[in-house]
mmCIF file of all heavy atoms in Angstrom:
data_model
loop_
_atom_site.group_PDB
_atom_site.id
_atom_site.type_symbol
_atom_site.label_atom_id
_atom_site.label_comp_id
_atom_site.label_asym_id
_atom_site.label_seq_id
_atom_site.Cartn_x
_atom_site.Cartn_y
_atom_site.Cartn_z
ATOM 1 N N TRP A 1174 61.570 -42.469 -40.393
ATOM 2 C CA TRP A 1174 62.860 -42.509 -39.733
ATOM 3 C C TRP A 1174 63.420 -41.127 -39.486
ATOM 4 O O TRP A 1174 64.162 -40.905 -38.528
ATOM 5 C CB TRP A 1174 63.861 -43.317 -40.619
ATOM 6 C CG TRP A 1174 63.548 -44.787 -40.595
ATOM 7 C CD1 TRP A 1174 62.815 -45.477 -41.477
ATOM 8 C CD2 TRP A 1174 63.979 -45.726 -39.615
ATOM 9 N NE1 TRP A 1174 62.729 -46.819 -41.157
ATOM 10 C CE2 TRP A 1174 63.466 -46.996 -39.986
ATOM 11 C CE3 TRP A 1174 64.772 -45.647 -38.466
ATOM 12 C CZ2 TRP A 1174 63.682 -48.154 -39.245
ATOM 13 C CZ3 TRP A 1174 65.015 -46.806 -37.772
ATOM 14 C CH2 TRP A 1174 64.446 -48.040 -38.127
ATOM 15 N N GLU A 1175 63.077 -40.173 -40.351
ATOM 16 C CA GLU A 1175 63.603 -38.817 -40.195
ATOM 17 C C GLU A 1175 62.752 -38.066 -39.160
ATOM 18 O O GLU A 1175 61.550 -38.302 -39.052
ATOM 19 C CB GLU A 1175 63.537 -38.098 -41.527
ATOM 20 C CG GLU A 1175 64.500 -38.665 -42.570
ATOM 21 C CD GLU A 1175 64.501 -37.882 -43.835
ATOM 22 O OE1 GLU A 1175 63.628 -36.973 -43.943
ATOM 23 O OE2 GLU A 1175 65.304 -38.170 -44.729
ATOM 24 N N PRO A 1176 63.440 -37.165 -38.456
ATOM 25 C CA PRO A 1176 62.691 -36.348 -37.484
ATOM 26 C C PRO A 1176 61.626 -35.500 -38.217
ATOM 27 O O PRO A 1176 61.928 -34.868 -39.221
ATOM 28 C CB PRO A 1176 63.753 -35.470 -36.854
ATOM 29 C CG PRO A 1176 65.041 -36.227 -37.076
ATOM 30 C CD PRO A 1176 64.920 -36.904 -38.407
ATOM 31 N N ILE A 1177 60.413 -35.500 -37.650
ATOM 32 C CA ILE A 1177 59.292 -34.758 -38.244
ATOM 33 C C ILE A 1177 58.620 -33.924 -37.156
ATOM 34 O O ILE A 1177 58.408 -34.401 -36.018
ATOM 35 C CB ILE A 1177 58.272 -35.717 -38.885
ATOM 36 C CG1 ILE A 1177 58.912 -36.489 -40.046
ATOM 37 C CG2 ILE A 1177 57.046 -34.938 -39.358
ATOM 38 C CD1 ILE A 1177 59.320 -35.635 -41.204
ATOM 39 N N LEU A 1178 58.231 -32.661 -37.541
ATOM 40 C CA LEU A 1178 57.410 -31.811 -36.670
ATOM 41 C C LEU A 1178 56.153 -31.396 -37.429
ATOM 42 O O LEU A 1178 56.220 -31.109 -38.635
ATOM 43 C CB LEU A 1178 58.165 -30.549 -36.228
ATOM 44 C CG LEU A 1178 59.212 -30.695 -35.125
ATOM 45 C CD1 LEU A 1178 59.847 -29.333 -34.852
ATOM 46 C CD2 LEU A 1178 58.602 -31.268 -33.877
ATOM 47 N N LEU A 1179 55.023 -31.291 -36.717
ATOM 48 C CA LEU A 1179 53.770 -30.786 -37.281
ATOM 49 C C LEU A 1179 53.381 -29.529 -36.500
ATOM 50 O O LEU A 1179 53.228 -29.561 -35.282
ATOM 51 C CB LEU A 1179 52.660 -31.838 -37.161
ATOM 52 C CG LEU A 1179 51.417 -31.611 -38.027
ATOM 53 C CD1 LEU A 1179 51.793 -31.703 -39.498
ATOM 54 C CD2 LEU A 1179 50.347 -32.658 -37.702
ATOM 55 N N LEU A 1180 53.240 -28.364 -37.215
ATOM 56 C CA LEU A 1180 53.017 -27.066 -36.568
ATOM 57 C C LEU A 1180 51.736 -26.419 -37.080
ATOM 58 O O LEU A 1180 51.290 -26.674 -38.213
ATOM 59 C CB LEU A 1180 54.197 -26.118 -36.833
ATOM 60 C CG LEU A 1180 55.571 -26.534 -36.380
ATOM 61 C CD1 LEU A 1180 56.297 -27.327 -37.468
ATOM 62 C CD2 LEU A 1180 56.411 -25.298 -36.012
ATOM 63 N N LYS A 1181 51.184 -25.570 -36.251
ATOM 64 C CA LYS A 1181 50.083 -24.702 -36.656
ATOM 65 C C LYS A 1181 50.639 -23.517 -37.444
ATOM 66 O O LYS A 1181 51.853 -23.310 -37.497
ATOM 67 C CB LYS A 1181 49.303 -24.161 -35.449
ATOM 68 C CG LYS A 1181 48.654 -25.247 -34.608
ATOM 69 C CD LYS A 1181 47.939 -24.590 -33.426
ATOM 70 C CE LYS A 1181 47.269 -25.621 -32.544
ATOM 71 N NZ LYS A 1181 46.602 -24.996 -31.373
ATOM 72 N N GLU A 1182 49.739 -22.731 -38.025
ATOM 73 C CA GLU A 1182 50.182 -21.501 -38.711
ATOM 74 C C GLU A 1182 50.852 -20.560 -37.742
ATOM 75 O O GLU A 1182 51.699 -19.749 -38.140
ATOM 76 C CB GLU A 1182 48.993 -20.824 -39.378
ATOM 77 C CG GLU A 1182 48.615 -21.392 -40.727
ATOM 78 C CD GLU A 1182 47.639 -20.513 -41.465
ATOM 79 O OE1 GLU A 1182 46.584 -20.181 -40.870
ATOM 80 O OE2 GLU A 1182 47.904 -20.158 -42.616
ATOM 81 N N SER A 1183 50.493 -20.655 -36.475
ATOM 82 C CA SER A 1183 51.109 -19.790 -35.461
ATOM 83 C C SER A 1183 52.476 -20.312 -35.034
ATOM 84 O O SER A 1183 53.102 -19.744 -34.119
ATOM 85 C CB SER A 1183 50.196 -19.694 -34.244
ATOM 86 O OG SER A 1183 49.999 -20.965 -33.703
ATOM 87 N N LEU A 1184 52.969 -21.426 -35.682
ATOM 88 C CA LEU A 1184 54.257 -22.038 -35.402
ATOM 89 C C LEU A 1184 54.277 -22.730 -34.049
ATOM 90 O O LEU A 1184 55.389 -22.979 -33.502
ATOM 91 C CB LEU A 1184 55.383 -21.015 -35.535
ATOM 92 C CG LEU A 1184 55.477 -20.294 -36.898
ATOM 93 C CD1 LEU A 1184 56.678 -19.354 -36.916
ATOM 94 C CD2 LEU A 1184 55.576 -21.289 -38.028
ATOM 95 N N ASP A 1185 53.102 -23.035 -33.508
ATOM 96 C CA ASP A 1185 53.033 -23.869 -32.302
ATOM 97 C C ASP A 1185 53.117 -25.340 -32.736
ATOM 98 O O ASP A 1185 52.449 -25.769 -33.671
ATOM 99 C CB ASP A 1185 51.734 -23.628 -31.555
ATOM 100 C CG ASP A 1185 51.704 -22.230 -30.940
ATOM 101 O OD1 ASP A 1185 52.742 -21.771 -30.472
ATOM 102 O OD2 ASP A 1185 50.606 -21.615 -30.939
ATOM 103 N N ILE A 1186 53.950 -26.135 -31.995
ATOM 104 C CA ILE A 1186 54.140 -27.538 -32.342
ATOM 105 C C ILE A 1186 52.966 -28.355 -31.824
ATOM 106 O O ILE A 1186 52.623 -28.274 -30.645
ATOM 107 C CB ILE A 1186 55.464 -28.063 -31.753
ATOM 108 C CG1 ILE A 1186 56.642 -27.235 -32.311
ATOM 109 C CG2 ILE A 1186 55.667 -29.552 -32.063
ATOM 110 C CD1 ILE A 1186 57.949 -27.523 -31.633
ATOM 111 N N ILE A 1187 52.330 -29.119 -32.701
ATOM 112 C CA ILE A 1187 51.205 -29.936 -32.275
ATOM 113 C C ILE A 1187 51.541 -31.435 -32.299
ATOM 114 O O ILE A 1187 50.802 -32.233 -31.714
ATOM 115 C CB ILE A 1187 49.961 -29.658 -33.150
ATOM 116 C CG1 ILE A 1187 50.245 -29.927 -34.617
ATOM 117 C CG2 ILE A 1187 49.476 -28.244 -32.948
ATOM 118 C CD1 ILE A 1187 49.018 -29.746 -35.523
ATOM 119 N N ARG A 1188 52.620 -31.813 -32.988
ATOM 120 C CA ARG A 1188 53.002 -33.220 -33.002
ATOM 121 C C ARG A 1188 54.471 -33.368 -33.404
ATOM 122 O O ARG A 1188 54.984 -32.582 -34.211
ATOM 123 C CB ARG A 1188 52.122 -34.012 -33.955
ATOM 124 C CG ARG A 1188 52.279 -35.534 -33.813
ATOM 125 C CD ARG A 1188 51.196 -36.255 -34.593
ATOM 126 N NE ARG A 1188 49.846 -35.871 -34.161
ATOM 127 C CZ ARG A 1188 49.263 -36.347 -33.049
ATOM 128 N NH1 ARG A 1188 49.906 -37.180 -32.281
ATOM 129 N NH2 ARG A 1188 48.050 -35.961 -32.750
ATOM 130 N N ALA A 1189 55.176 -34.387 -32.860
ATOM 131 C CA ALA A 1189 56.570 -34.729 -33.223
ATOM 132 C C ALA A 1189 56.715 -36.240 -33.205
ATOM 133 O O ALA A 1189 56.080 -36.913 -32.365
ATOM 134 C CB ALA A 1189 57.549 -34.073 -32.274
ATOM 135 N N ASN A 1190 57.549 -36.787 -34.080
ATOM 136 C CA ASN A 1190 57.686 -38.245 -34.093
ATOM 137 C C ASN A 1190 58.823 -38.689 -33.183
ATOM 138 O O ASN A 1190 59.652 -37.868 -32.758
ATOM 139 C CB ASN A 1190 57.865 -38.751 -35.529
ATOM 140 C CG ASN A 1190 59.157 -38.277 -36.143
ATOM 141 O OD1 ASN A 1190 59.844 -37.439 -35.587
ATOM 142 N ND2 ASN A 1190 59.496 -38.793 -37.342
ATOM 143 N N PRO A 1191 58.944 -39.980 -32.900
ATOM 144 C CA PRO A 1191 59.987 -40.468 -31.993
ATOM 145 C C PRO A 1191 61.390 -40.145 -32.479
ATOM 146 O O PRO A 1191 62.312 -39.919 -31.685
ATOM 147 C CB PRO A 1191 59.737 -41.958 -31.948
ATOM 148 C CG PRO A 1191 58.279 -42.085 -32.241
ATOM 149 C CD PRO A 1191 57.994 -41.029 -33.228
ATOM 150 N N SER A 1192 61.604 -40.073 -33.813
ATOM 151 C CA SER A 1192 62.943 -39.790 -34.341
ATOM 152 C C SER A 1192 63.399 -38.393 -33.935
ATOM 153 O O SER A 1192 64.587 -38.138 -33.685
ATOM 154 C CB SER A 1192 62.945 -39.916 -35.873
ATOM 155 O OG SER A 1192 62.629 -41.235 -36.253
ATOM 156 N N PHE A 1193 62.440 -37.453 -33.875
ATOM 157 C CA PHE A 1193 62.787 -36.086 -33.457
ATOM 158 C C PHE A 1193 63.243 -36.081 -32.019
ATOM 159 O O PHE A 1193 64.248 -35.453 -31.678
ATOM 160 C CB PHE A 1193 61.580 -35.172 -33.671
ATOM 161 C CG PHE A 1193 61.847 -33.759 -33.279
ATOM 162 C CD1 PHE A 1193 62.420 -32.859 -34.163
ATOM 163 C CD2 PHE A 1193 61.521 -33.292 -32.000
ATOM 164 C CE1 PHE A 1193 62.652 -31.547 -33.802
ATOM 165 C CE2 PHE A 1193 61.777 -31.978 -31.644
ATOM 166 C CZ PHE A 1193 62.352 -31.100 -32.547
ATOM 167 N N TYR A 1194 62.488 -36.763 -31.125
ATOM 168 C CA TYR A 1194 62.857 -36.790 -29.715
ATOM 169 C C TYR A 1194 64.235 -37.443 -29.525
ATOM 170 O O TYR A 1194 65.033 -37.021 -28.687
ATOM 171 C CB TYR A 1194 61.795 -37.560 -28.923
ATOM 172 C CG TYR A 1194 60.441 -36.927 -28.928
ATOM 173 C CD1 TYR A 1194 59.289 -37.713 -29.087
ATOM 174 C CD2 TYR A 1194 60.276 -35.539 -28.812
ATOM 175 C CE1 TYR A 1194 58.020 -37.148 -29.097
ATOM 176 C CE2 TYR A 1194 59.006 -34.973 -28.821
ATOM 177 C CZ TYR A 1194 57.887 -35.780 -28.989
ATOM 178 O OH TYR A 1194 56.668 -35.213 -29.016
ATOM 179 N N GLU A 1195 64.518 -38.464 -30.343
ATOM 180 C CA GLU A 1195 65.774 -39.204 -30.201
ATOM 181 C C GLU A 1195 66.950 -38.366 -30.683
ATOM 182 O O GLU A 1195 68.002 -38.335 -30.040
ATOM 183 C CB GLU A 1195 65.706 -40.527 -30.992
ATOM 184 C CG GLU A 1195 66.943 -41.373 -30.848
ATOM 185 C CD GLU A 1195 66.836 -42.658 -31.622
ATOM 186 O OE1 GLU A 1195 65.729 -42.987 -32.153
ATOM 187 O OE2 GLU A 1195 67.858 -43.369 -31.713
ATOM 188 N N MET A 1196 66.768 -37.660 -31.846
ATOM 189 C CA MET A 1196 67.883 -36.889 -32.393
ATOM 190 C C MET A 1196 68.247 -35.732 -31.481
ATOM 191 O O MET A 1196 69.433 -35.486 -31.204
ATOM 192 C CB MET A 1196 67.537 -36.391 -33.797
ATOM 193 C CG MET A 1196 68.632 -35.481 -34.398
ATOM 194 S SD MET A 1196 68.208 -34.889 -36.026
ATOM 195 C CE MET A 1196 68.493 -36.358 -36.980
#
Side-chain angles (χ1 to χ4, degrees):
W1174 288 95
E1175 292 183 354
I1177 297 295
L1178 283 180
L1179 196 65
L1180 301 88
K1181 298 179 181 179
E1182 277 192 307
S1183 61
L1184 303 182
D1185 291 322
I1186 301 171
I1187 59 176
R1188 192 170 301 283
N1190 65 351
S1192 297
F1193 180 86
Y1194 297 138
E1195 182 179 352
M1196 176 181 285

